[in-house]
Amino acid sequence: MPGESLMSAQHQHTNRLIDATSPYLLQHAHNPVDWYPWGEEALRLAREEDKPIFLSIGYAACHWCHVMERESFESEAIAEQLNQDFVCIKVDREERPDLDEIYMAATQLITHSGGWPMSVFLTPDLKPFYAGTYFPPEDRWGRPGFPTLLRELARAWRERRAEVLTQADRVVEAMEQFTGGAQGQGAVNETLVKNAVQAFERGYEPAYGGFGQAPKFPPSMRLELFLRRHHQENNLRLLRIADHTLEMMARGGMYDQVGGGFHRYSVDEKWLVPHFEKMLYDNALLSRVYTLAFEETQNWFYGRVAREIFDYILREMTHPEGGIYSTTDADSEGVEGKFFVWDPEEVEAVLGAEDGSLFCRIYDISRGGNWEGHSIPNLLNRNLDDWAQELHTGVEDLDARLGALRRKLWEHREKRVHPLLDDKILSGWNGLMIRAFAEGYRVLRDDRYREAAEHAAEFVLTRMREGGRLLRSYRNGQAGLNAYLEDYSYLSLALLDLHLATGNERWKDEGLRLLEQLEARFWDATDGGYYFTSHDHEQLITRAKGFQDGATPSGASMAVLAHIRAAHITGDEDHRRQAAEMLALASPLMDELPAGFPNMLVAANEYLREWPGGIRIAGADAVEVEANLSQPSVAPGGRIRIDIVLDVAPGNHINSHAPLQEYLIPTVIEVQETPGFTVVGYHYPPGEAHQAPFQDDALSVYSGSVTLSVELEADADLSPGAYPAKLLVRIQACDERQCYPPMEARIQIAIPVSA
């Protein structure tokens, strides 16, 4: 069983958090601190009693949040200080990312760093005047302890009020500039993306992979960009960087070698020692990038890692009705990492002497341990290929043997006290996982992943909407909080990708509907860009625009991708224009600070790839489509040919233009719009004979690279200029096991007319 979400016991104190649904708030419901949830009751009290607000923001799986609670918030003496001089408000950052976004900006401006627990001191009108993260319970490390800090801030509020208010006004002014999003517009072109990729390359750490030094966070969005760019231009250096990083992360202790799934980040440069909490968003992003890496490289190890992440989510993080939980804690029994570490004696007791000794040798489990006297299983010293060579066996055979041993250890580990499970369900994070499951189904062809994606989508769309409006959070039968930009954009893109993976029209319709609501609720019609909160959200001290990517993609970058996907599916030019406008707003920031915009750069790269270049269509990326002109330009009255090049991936085929069976869908070009030109004719090459294992009759198919053409004649009175041609290509792709849903590629290409 996963960790219990709450524990019942007799408590000396109970505060107003007892009525919350958030597991994080409930963890603090029995502190002696007189906590309030964020809301009008607490804000009114601060105004009436003229007290500053102590705002504490964290999340259920946060290790240092637990430490500060044990040291300070459970202390009767510290609680007395807080209750006397402050109105104390506790916020779950996962439920209220709007507050987290605003006050994290303040914390970074005041301290030049950030993190959780976030500790912010506000005036009664919500302006921050002091901030920090974790504070110890006594003076140490040359820094004031929490009681000293509380005493000095309370004195400043009483005796130097004017200074405090001036400081608060300065912070708010800086925050408005910091959170206001892009200023001006720039060019979105290939040079912008190439320069950003080169900047990322310079930060690559060649010893152990990843970017920069410890601590190391999983760089999912950068790796996706590198894999995409390698595919487009056969850039082997980008592939090597992505390959090395993916391999080292999956061999390290940051990956749960026994149960699957990634921990939050590595505290060292080797990926050995993790911060042990597991976040749904990390595993959604990483399962997707390992799936893409498997598709690009056909490296079996990446396929195995992707499957193990998916299976971990299905097994331990999924509500019986399909929604997906948020996080699991770093601690169990009050000790960080206790659930995940091993000793040789325990391993050998479970597996037996021979298998146990083998497992300990391969996974670096020793009596001295590799972390605080215990061992975190890892493969960093040697990869499985080297072990297979030493043991005179095939690497996949060895992995299968080890897989059986890992399963036994997992079953034994299940008897331990689990870390706490934060079982709230967030619509946006579910969108990330739905998209990952859709990608897993598309590439790995496992129906369980399609079913998981569809069940999660059904859960969010039925349990987490009210009056047609999307809600942020669900727990214990209750859904609440108006959804934010990231919820709409993550889920819209996920449903559109789920449609492409399954062919189910319902997901397309729901995705487009959410995208329409996103535009209506979040777009700034005056200056452009997306606000983090909807137009009818509660009024806070500033209204942020979420351009920058962080641990998760920004809502804005995912909205751009959703518009690109919608344009591809529907052919609606409005979606393309909206993506272009947002990218133009973000481009100066991407150019200046690419490290802050990896997913926006993924979106820019996708945009440049689709217009006017080729696009991938069909299941498993079976076919890539590109349009080319037969000559640089055409004179009025002359003829020009548009060649449609279909590159069919190995192991796949598409029906020819003249399939031998009436029920099969032919490959067809359809000219939809060519102002100033007349269609002269189409050319389709003859099909080749093929016998598929699932088909009794011979087929007429295209495979490899095949060129279809349409010939156009320019009107005799055309003026010089560029004229848009819009074409539709319909295909159905199959591999040797099955056929994918019929797909359409919409292509636009400009035809230059000379004088």
Side-chain angles (χ1 to χ4, degrees):
M1 288 288 294
E4 293 296 324
S5 58
L6 293 172
M7 297 178 66
S8 60
Q10 295 297 112
H11 298 281
Q12 182 179 356
H13 302 280
T14 299
N15 57 52
R16 291 166 182 80
L17 301 184
I18 195 64
D19 296 322
T21 57
S22 158
Y24 175 65
L25 298 190
L26 289 167
Q27 287 171 1
H28 295 77
H30 299 292
N31 296 161
V33 177
D34 189 14
W35 290 115
Y36 287 78
W38 181 276
E40 182 52 35
E41 182 183 5
L43 305 184
R44 183 177 61 250
L45 181 67
R47 294 191 297 268
E48 290 174 353
E49 296 192 356
D50 191 31
K51 284 184 177 180
I53 293 167
F54 170 56
L55 176 65
S56 177
I57 301 180
Y59 58 100
C62 167
H63 170 69
W64 286 101
C65 298
H66 301 330
V67 173
M68 192 164 178
E69 181 192 12
R70 288 195 299 267
E71 293 178 342
S72 294
F73 303 148
E74 292 181 355
S75 163
E76 297 282 353
I78 293 177
E80 184 178 358
Q81 280 186 274
L82 282 166
N83 297 338
Q84 177 179 313
D85 294 322
F86 302 89
V87 173
C88 302
I89 298 178
K90 177 64 73 172
V91 166
D92 182 340
R93 66 174 290 260
E94 294 170 358
E95 284 193 336
R96 293 299 303 262
D98 54 335
L99 296 172
D100 185 65
E101 176 99 354
I102 289 171
Y103 291 110
M104 180 58 78
T107 302
Q108 291 172 333
L109 286 166
I110 292 169
T111 69
H112 305 291
S113 64
W116 298 275
M118 193 197 312
S119 305
V120 191
F121 294 85
L122 315 178
T123 65
D125 57 356
L126 309 184
K127 297 178 180 180
F129 61 89
Y130 192 85
T133 53
Y134 163 80
F135 291 102
E138 66 275 327
D139 299 352
R140 66 170 76 143
W141 309 317
R143 296 176 55 197
F146 197 47
T148 301
L149 178 69
L150 295 177
R151 191 164 50 251
E152 291 303 316
L153 290 175
R155 181 180 294 121
W157 182 253
R158 291 191 304 269
E159 300 175 5
R160 302 193 306 278
R161 179 76 60 92
E163 292 178 31
V164 171
L165 296 179
T166 299
Q167 164 73 0
D169 287 339
R170 287 173 180 163
V171 173
V172 170
E173 184 180 351
M175 285 171 61
E176 289 174 345
Q177 296 178 345
F178 189 76
T179 62
Q183 301 294 324
Q185 296 193 3
V188 181
N189 52 36
E190 185 69 11
T191 300
L192 173 73
V193 178
K194 282 188 173 181
N195 288 344
V197 168
Q198 289 170 2
F200 291 161
E201 284 185 81
R202 290 192 291 272
Y204 167 59
E205 198 276 285
Y208 301 103
F211 302 89
Q213 303 302 313
K216 283 185 175 176
F217 292 82
S220 306
M221 292 167 265
R222 291 191 189 197
L223 296 178
E224 178 174 351
L225 181 60
F226 278 31
L227 289 170
R228 298 295 191 195
R229 297 295 296 186
H230 162 71
H231 183 84
Q232 291 164 230
E233 56 191 33
N234 195 32
N235 187 323
L236 294 179
R237 172 167 167 77
L238 296 183
L239 181 63
R240 282 194 296 271
I241 291 173
D243 188 53
H244 184 214
T245 301
L246 289 164
E247 181 178 352
M248 296 305 291
M249 286 197 303
R251 286 168 54 188
M254 193 179 78
Y255 184 66
D256 181 357
Q257 303 290 341
V258 171
F262 279 90
H263 299 292
R264 177 68 193 95
Y265 64 88
S266 175
V267 301
D268 64 352
E269 73 280 3
K270 297 181 180 181
W271 311 103
L272 171 62
V273 181
H275 209 18
F276 285 92
E277 68 259 38
K278 288 183 178 179
M279 317 297 290
L280 175 60
Y281 60 77
D282 283 321
N283 285 286
L285 295 169
L286 284 163
S287 58
R288 186 168 175 276
V289 82
Y290 275 94
T291 300
L292 294 172
F294 170 71
E295 181 181 36
E296 189 69 20
T297 66
Q298 293 300 299
N299 183 331
W300 67 271
F301 182 58
Y302 296 154
R304 193 256 273 176
V305 171
R307 289 184 180 93
E308 287 182 349
I309 302 173
F310 290 136
D311 293 350
Y312 152 69
I313 296 295
L314 289 174
R315 185 180 65 240
E316 301 184 34
M317 297 294 288
T318 301
H319 186 282
E321 296 178 30
I324 306 168
Y325 303 134
S326 295
T327 65
T328 55
D329 210 326
D331 300 7
S332 55
E333 300 182 85
V335 179
E336 184 183 13
K338 182 175 181 179
F339 183 77
F340 298 100
V341 297
W342 297 85
D343 299 310
E345 295 80 6
E346 187 178 13
V347 173
E348 292 181 12
V350 175
L351 301 181
E354 182 180 347
D355 283 342
S357 175
L358 175 69
F359 193 91
C360 287
R361 275 208 306 143
I362 291 178
Y363 281 95
D364 188 28
I365 298 171
S366 64
R367 281 175 172 75
N370 54 33
W371 179 69
E372 296 188 357
H374 301 282
S375 293
I376 302 168
N378 70 89
L379 294 164
L380 290 170
N381 293 333
R382 300 174 69 186
N383 63 31
L384 286 176
D385 293 284
D386 292 338
W387 282 110
Q389 187 174 0
E390 178 182 317
L391 297 169
H392 306 292
T393 186
V395 65
E396 294 190 51
D397 292 336
L398 174 61
D399 191 59
R401 179 182 176 186
L402 292 171
L405 302 182
R406 292 193 300 268
R407 177 69 185 183
K408 287 182 181 179
L409 290 175
W410 176 81
E411 290 171 351
H412 176 77
R413 195 177 75 177
E414 283 295 282
K415 300 171 187 175
R416 298 177 179 176
V417 176
H418 281 250
L420 179 138
L421 168 70
D422 185 338
D423 58 355
K424 71 175 177 292
I425 296 168
L426 301 173
S427 54
W429 292 13
N430 270 247
L432 290 178
M433 198 67 230
I434 291 165
R435 189 179 184 218
F437 273 131
E439 196 82 357
Y441 168 67
R442 184 184 65 78
V443 174
L444 303 173
R445 308 312 294 174
D446 189 325
D447 280 332
R448 295 179 306 140
Y449 305 152
R450 174 186 55 76
E451 291 168 1
E454 294 190 321
H455 290 163
E458 187 71 33
F459 185 97
V460 174
L461 293 173
T462 56
R463 296 297 192 92
M464 301 180 70
R465 284 201 292 196
E466 186 175 73
R469 182 176 193 141
L470 188 63
L471 299 176
R472 168 70 172 180
S473 181
Y474 174 98
R475 185 174 182 271
N476 285 350
Q478 297 181 49
L481 301 173
N482 286 339
Y484 303 98
L485 173 64
E486 66 180 41
D487 299 302
Y488 280 91
S489 63
Y490 290 8
L491 190 58
S492 174
L493 177 59
L495 295 176
L496 295 176
D497 280 355
L498 184 55
H499 160 69
L500 289 176
T502 65
N504 188 326
E505 292 290 310
R506 183 193 172 191
W507 308 127
K508 177 188 75 174
D509 295 341
E510 293 282 11
L512 293 174
R513 187 175 297 116
L514 283 170
L515 191 54
E516 182 180 339
Q517 292 175 350
L518 181 154
E519 291 303 312
R521 295 184 188 280
F522 297 91
W523 182 254
D524 180 355
T526 303
D527 298 322
Y530 294 106
Y531 287 112
F532 194 88
T533 55
S534 58
H535 295 319
D536 56 355
H537 192 75
E538 82 174 274
Q539 188 171 352
L540 302 172
I541 59 167
T542 188
R543 193 175 178 199
K545 287 182 179 175
F547 277 69
Q548 193 162 343
D549 302 307
T552 56
S554 69
S557 65
M558 295 293 267
V560 173
L561 282 167
H563 277 295
I564 292 170
R565 200 73 79 249
H568 164 54
I569 291 171
T570 67
D572 187 339
E573 287 294 297
D574 286 342
H575 289 297
R576 184 183 70 82
R577 282 191 288 270
Q578 188 69 2
E581 183 172 351
M582 187 63 200
L583 287 169
L585 284 168
S587 64
L589 295 172
M590 288 191 281
D591 190 41
E592 180 180 354
L593 186 65
F597 301 89
N599 198 62
M600 192 68 83
L601 286 157
V602 169
N605 186 68
E606 187 82 0
Y607 176 85
L608 294 168
R609 186 169 69 97
E610 290 220 9
W611 290 285
I615 54 176
R616 286 181 171 191
I617 59 174
D621 277 352
V623 182
E624 191 168 292
V625 183
E626 186 172 352
N628 300 302
L629 297 175
S630 60
Q631 59 204 54
S633 64
V634 62
R639 293 187 177 186
I640 193 169
R641 191 178 70 247
I642 301 176
D643 292 329
I644 310 296
V645 182
L646 307 178
D647 282 324
V648 184
N652 295 271
H653 60 267
I654 59 176
N655 299 323
S656 73
H657 177 62
L660 301 177
Q661 291 78 24
E662 291 184 1
Y663 59 85
L664 293 179
I665 295 172
T667 296
V668 173
I669 308 172
E670 179 182 302
V671 174
Q672 295 188 308
E673 186 179 336
T674 51
F677 289 83
T678 302
V679 176
V680 176
Y682 298 93
H683 172 71
Y684 298 93
E688 56 190 75
H690 179 74
Q691 185 68 56
F694 58 81
Q695 177 76 32
D696 293 334
D697 301 328
L699 303 173
S700 175
V701 304
Y702 297 140
S703 62
S705 182
V706 60
T707 300
L708 324 175
S709 300
V710 56
E711 189 172 6
L712 303 172
E713 183 174 291
D715 293 350
D717 58 352
L718 273 187
S719 302
Y723 292 78
K726 296 182 180 180
L727 298 87
L728 181 72
V729 181
R730 291 192 177 93
I731 68 163
Q732 183 172 31
C734 308
D735 59 23
E736 294 304 293
R737 295 173 296 169
Q738 62 194 320
C739 287
Y740 301 109
M743 300 294 290
E744 297 178 345
R746 289 175 170 82
I747 296 172
Q748 177 171 308
I749 190 167
I751 306 176
V753 174
S754 59

